[in-house]
Amino acid sequence: AAESLFANEGYNMASMEQIADAAEVSVGAVYFYFKNKADLLVQLLGEIGYLMRTILGEAFKKHGADMEAFKQAGYAFFEDFCVNYPEKCAIIFRESVGKSPEVEKHRKELFDKCTADVLSALMTVCNNQGYKFKGKFSAEVIAVSIMGIYERVAYHYILWQNRGENLKNIGRDALAFILGGITNLFEGP
Protein backbone atom coordinates (compact mmCIF):
# COMPACT_ATOMS: atom_id res chain seq x y z
CA ALA A 1 0.00 0.00 0.00
CA ALA A 2 2.82 2.40 0.86
CA GLU A 3 4.62 1.61 -2.38
CA SER A 4 1.57 2.50 -4.43
CA LEU A 5 0.85 5.67 -2.46
CA PHE A 6 4.47 6.84 -2.49
CA ALA A 7 4.77 6.22 -6.23
CA ASN A 8 1.44 7.71 -7.25
CA GLU A 9 0.71 10.40 -4.67
CA GLY A 10 4.26 11.16 -3.58
CA TYR A 11 6.07 10.32 -0.39
CA ASN A 12 5.42 13.76 1.13
CA MET A 13 1.69 13.61 0.37
CA ALA A 14 1.10 10.08 1.70
CA SER A 15 0.27 9.81 5.38
CA MET A 16 0.53 6.83 7.67
CA GLU A 17 -3.26 6.97 7.98
CA GLN A 18 -3.68 6.69 4.21
CA ILE A 19 -1.22 3.81 4.13
CA ALA A 20 -3.14 2.01 6.87
CA ASP A 21 -6.45 2.60 5.05
CA ALA A 22 -5.05 1.32 1.75
CA ALA A 23 -3.56 -1.73 3.50
CA GLU A 24 -6.84 -2.28 5.36
CA VAL A 25 -5.12 -2.35 8.73
CA SER A 26 -5.14 -0.04 11.73
CA VAL A 27 -2.70 2.84 12.00
CA GLY A 28 -1.39 1.15 15.14
CA ALA A 29 -0.56 -1.95 13.11
CA VAL A 30 1.51 0.14 10.70
CA TYR A 31 3.37 1.74 13.61
CA PHE A 32 3.90 -1.69 15.16
CA TYR A 33 6.05 -2.68 12.16
CA PHE A 34 7.49 0.71 11.17
CA LYS A 35 8.55 3.48 13.52
CA ASN A 36 7.67 6.16 10.95
CA LYS A 37 7.18 6.82 7.26
CA ALA A 38 10.93 7.04 6.62
CA ASP A 39 11.40 3.60 8.17
CA LEU A 40 8.75 2.25 5.81
CA LEU A 41 10.54 3.83 2.84
CA VAL A 42 13.85 2.32 3.94
CA GLN A 43 12.20 -1.11 4.00
CA LEU A 44 10.80 -0.55 0.51
CA LEU A 45 14.21 0.52 -0.77
CA GLY A 46 15.71 -2.70 0.51
CA GLU A 47 13.06 -4.85 -1.16
CA ILE A 48 13.14 -2.92 -4.44
CA GLY A 49 16.92 -2.91 -4.52
CA TYR A 50 17.02 -6.65 -3.94
CA LEU A 51 14.55 -7.24 -6.79
CA MET A 52 16.45 -4.97 -9.18
CA ARG A 53 19.83 -6.53 -8.37
CA THR A 54 18.36 -10.03 -8.70
CA ILE A 55 16.86 -9.31 -12.13
CA LEU A 56 20.11 -7.86 -13.46
CA GLY A 57 22.33 -10.50 -11.84
CA GLU A 58 20.25 -13.37 -13.20
CA ALA A 59 20.33 -11.90 -16.71
CA PHE A 60 24.10 -11.53 -16.52
CA LYS A 61 24.68 -15.07 -15.26
CA LYS A 62 22.25 -16.58 -17.74
CA HIS A 63 24.17 -15.27 -20.75
CA GLY A 64 27.67 -16.49 -19.96
CA ALA A 65 29.40 -13.61 -18.16
CA ASP A 66 30.79 -11.94 -21.30
CA MET A 67 29.99 -8.68 -23.12
CA GLU A 68 26.74 -10.17 -24.42
CA ALA A 69 25.78 -11.01 -20.85
CA PHE A 70 26.62 -7.47 -19.79
CA LYS A 71 24.38 -6.13 -22.55
CA GLN A 72 21.56 -8.51 -21.61
CA ALA A 73 21.73 -7.35 -17.99
CA GLY A 74 21.30 -3.79 -19.24
CA TYR A 75 18.32 -4.83 -21.33
CA ALA A 76 16.89 -6.54 -18.24
CA PHE A 77 17.10 -3.24 -16.37
CA PHE A 78 15.23 -1.27 -19.01
CA GLU A 79 12.92 -3.93 -20.44
CA ASP A 80 12.13 -5.99 -17.36
CA PHE A 81 12.66 -3.94 -14.21
CA CYS A 82 11.64 -0.49 -15.47
CA VAL A 83 8.79 -1.63 -17.70
CA ASN A 84 7.28 -4.14 -15.28
CA TYR A 85 7.82 -2.18 -12.08
CA PRO A 86 7.24 1.53 -12.76
CA GLU A 87 6.06 2.17 -9.19
CA LYS A 88 9.28 0.67 -7.85
CA CYS A 89 11.23 2.90 -10.25
CA ALA A 90 9.36 5.92 -8.92
CA ILE A 91 10.29 5.01 -5.36
CA ILE A 92 13.94 4.26 -6.01
CA PHE A 93 14.66 7.09 -8.45
CA ARG A 94 12.32 9.86 -7.30
CA GLU A 95 10.55 9.39 -3.99
CA SER A 96 13.56 8.30 -1.95
CA VAL A 97 15.75 11.26 -2.89
CA GLY A 98 16.52 13.68 -0.07
CA LYS A 99 13.79 12.52 2.32
CA SER A 100 15.86 12.09 5.47
CA PRO A 101 19.43 11.28 6.47
CA GLU A 102 18.39 7.69 7.25
CA VAL A 103 16.68 7.21 3.87
CA GLU A 104 19.59 8.84 2.06
CA LYS A 105 22.03 6.54 3.87
CA HIS A 106 20.11 3.46 2.68
CA ARG A 107 19.71 4.86 -0.82
CA LYS A 108 23.47 5.43 -1.02
CA GLU A 109 24.12 1.90 0.27
CA LEU A 110 21.85 0.51 -2.45
CA PHE A 111 23.57 2.46 -5.20
CA ASP A 112 26.98 1.48 -3.81
CA LYS A 113 25.92 -2.19 -3.99
CA CYS A 114 24.64 -1.74 -7.55
CA THR A 115 27.85 0.01 -8.59
CA ALA A 116 29.88 -2.81 -7.01
CA ASP A 117 27.74 -5.32 -8.95
CA VAL A 118 28.47 -3.51 -12.22
CA LEU A 119 32.18 -3.29 -11.38
CA SER A 120 32.28 -7.00 -10.57
CA ALA A 121 30.50 -7.82 -13.84
CA LEU A 122 32.97 -5.66 -15.78
CA MET A 123 35.93 -7.39 -14.16
CA THR A 124 34.38 -10.81 -14.87
CA VAL A 125 33.95 -9.85 -18.54
CA CYS A 126 37.58 -8.70 -18.66
CA ASN A 127 38.84 -11.92 -17.12
CA ASN A 128 36.64 -14.15 -19.28
CA GLN A 129 37.54 -12.41 -22.52
CA GLY A 130 41.20 -11.67 -21.87
CA TYR A 131 40.79 -7.89 -21.79
CA LYS A 132 42.16 -5.32 -19.41
CA PHE A 133 41.27 -1.69 -18.93
CA LYS A 134 43.56 1.02 -20.25
CA GLY A 135 43.56 3.05 -17.06
CA LYS A 136 43.78 2.27 -13.36
CA PHE A 137 40.34 3.72 -12.64
CA SER A 138 38.60 2.95 -15.94
CA ALA A 139 36.45 0.10 -14.64
CA GLU A 140 35.40 2.05 -11.56
CA VAL A 141 34.54 5.16 -13.59
CA ILE A 142 32.52 3.06 -16.02
CA ALA A 143 30.61 1.34 -13.19
CA VAL A 144 29.70 4.68 -11.59
CA SER A 145 28.78 6.13 -14.99
CA ILE A 146 26.58 3.18 -15.87
CA MET A 147 24.60 3.53 -12.65
CA GLY A 148 24.22 7.25 -13.34
CA ILE A 149 23.05 6.59 -16.89
CA TYR A 150 20.57 3.92 -15.79
CA GLU A 151 19.14 6.22 -13.14
CA ARG A 152 18.86 9.30 -15.36
CA VAL A 153 17.45 7.47 -18.39
CA ALA A 154 14.85 5.70 -16.25
CA TYR A 155 13.97 8.92 -14.44
CA HIS A 156 13.80 11.01 -17.59
CA TYR A 157 11.76 8.68 -19.79
CA ILE A 158 9.59 6.90 -17.24
CA LEU A 159 8.96 9.53 -14.60
CA TRP A 160 9.35 12.89 -16.36
CA GLN A 161 8.12 12.09 -19.83
CA ASN A 162 5.92 9.05 -19.14
CA ARG A 163 7.34 7.31 -22.21
CA GLY A 164 7.68 3.81 -20.80
CA GLU A 165 6.23 2.37 -24.00
CA ASN A 166 9.40 3.50 -25.82
CA LEU A 167 11.75 2.22 -23.15
CA LYS A 168 12.89 -0.83 -25.11
CA ASN A 169 14.32 1.33 -27.91
CA ILE A 170 15.55 3.99 -25.50
CA GLY A 171 17.28 1.36 -23.35
CA ARG A 172 18.91 -0.22 -26.37
CA ASP A 173 20.27 3.17 -27.44
CA ALA A 174 21.58 3.78 -23.92
CA LEU A 175 23.22 0.35 -23.90
CA ALA A 176 24.85 0.93 -27.29
CA PHE A 177 26.30 4.15 -25.88
CA ILE A 178 27.51 2.38 -22.73
CA LEU A 179 29.02 -0.56 -24.60
CA GLY A 180 30.86 1.82 -26.94
CA GLY A 181 32.39 3.54 -23.94
CA ILE A 182 33.38 0.26 -22.34
CA THR A 183 35.00 -1.17 -25.45
CA ASN A 184 36.86 2.11 -25.98
CA LEU A 185 38.54 1.64 -22.60
CA PHE A 186 39.46 -2.02 -23.14
CA GLU A 187 42.83 -3.20 -24.30
CA GLY A 188 42.72 -6.47 -26.22
CA PRO A 189 44.20 -9.76 -25.07
Side-chain angles (χ1 to χ4, degrees):
E3 180 179 307
S4 180
L5 283 167
F6 291 167
N8 297 308
E9 305 295 324
Y11 172 84
N12 292 333
M13 298 301 293
S15 68
M16 292 296 264
E17 291 77 16
Q18 288 174 307
I19 293 166
D21 286 345
E24 298 179 356
V25 298
S26 70
V27 174
V30 176
Y31 279 109
F32 180 78
Y33 291 102
F34 307 100
K35 61 184 173 188
N36 54 36
K37 197 165 62 166
D39 187 40
L40 190 82
L41 182 56
V42 165
Q43 180 69 32
L44 282 172
L45 279 174
E47 291 175 12
I48 294 167
Y50 179 80
L51 175 66
M52 181 177 69
R53 292 177 68 217
T54 299
I55 289 170
L56 274 64
E58 287 175 356
F60 181 73
K61 290 175 187 170
K62 178 182 175 184
H63 290 90
D66 57 12
M67 280 302 283
E68 180 61 26
F70 197 83
K71 180 169 64 172
Q72 292 301 321
Y75 291 163
F77 173 78
F78 291 109
E79 297 172 17
D80 186 354
F81 181 74
C82 291
V83 169
N84 294 321
Y85 304 102
E87 288 182 340
K88 293 179 186 326
C89 286
I91 301 237
I92 204 167
F93 298 129
R94 181 186 65 211
E95 294 305 318
S96 63
V97 177
K99 299 305 180 206
S100 74
E102 184 70 13
V103 172
E104 202 55 42
K105 173 185 161 210
H106 285 278
R107 188 172 190 279
K108 181 186 180 313
E109 287 173 2
L110 170 59
F111 278 88
D112 287 347
K113 287 178 186 176
C114 291
T115 301
D117 291 346
V118 172
L119 180 59
S120 176
L122 284 168
M123 299 315 294
T124 299
V125 168
C126 279
N127 292 335
N128 287 350
Q129 295 196 270
Y131 293 124
K132 67 178 189 170
F133 282 100
K134 291 178 182 177
K136 179 179 177 181
F137 299 108
S138 297
E140 187 177 329
V141 168
I142 289 171
V144 169
S145 298
I146 287 170
M147 285 309 303
I149 290 169
Y150 281 12
E151 179 179 18
R152 292 310 307 165
V153 168
Y155 192 94
H156 184 81
Y157 289 104
I158 293 175
L159 304 174
W160 275 356
Q161 293 191 354
N162 195 24
R163 291 173 55 192
E165 72 280 356
N166 298 320
L167 205 55
K168 181 176 181 177
N169 292 330
I170 291 165
R172 289 184 180 251
D173 285 348
L175 259 295
F177 175 76
I178 290 167
L179 293 173
I182 293 171
T183 56
N184 187 49
L185 292 175
F186 275 156
E187 288 181 345

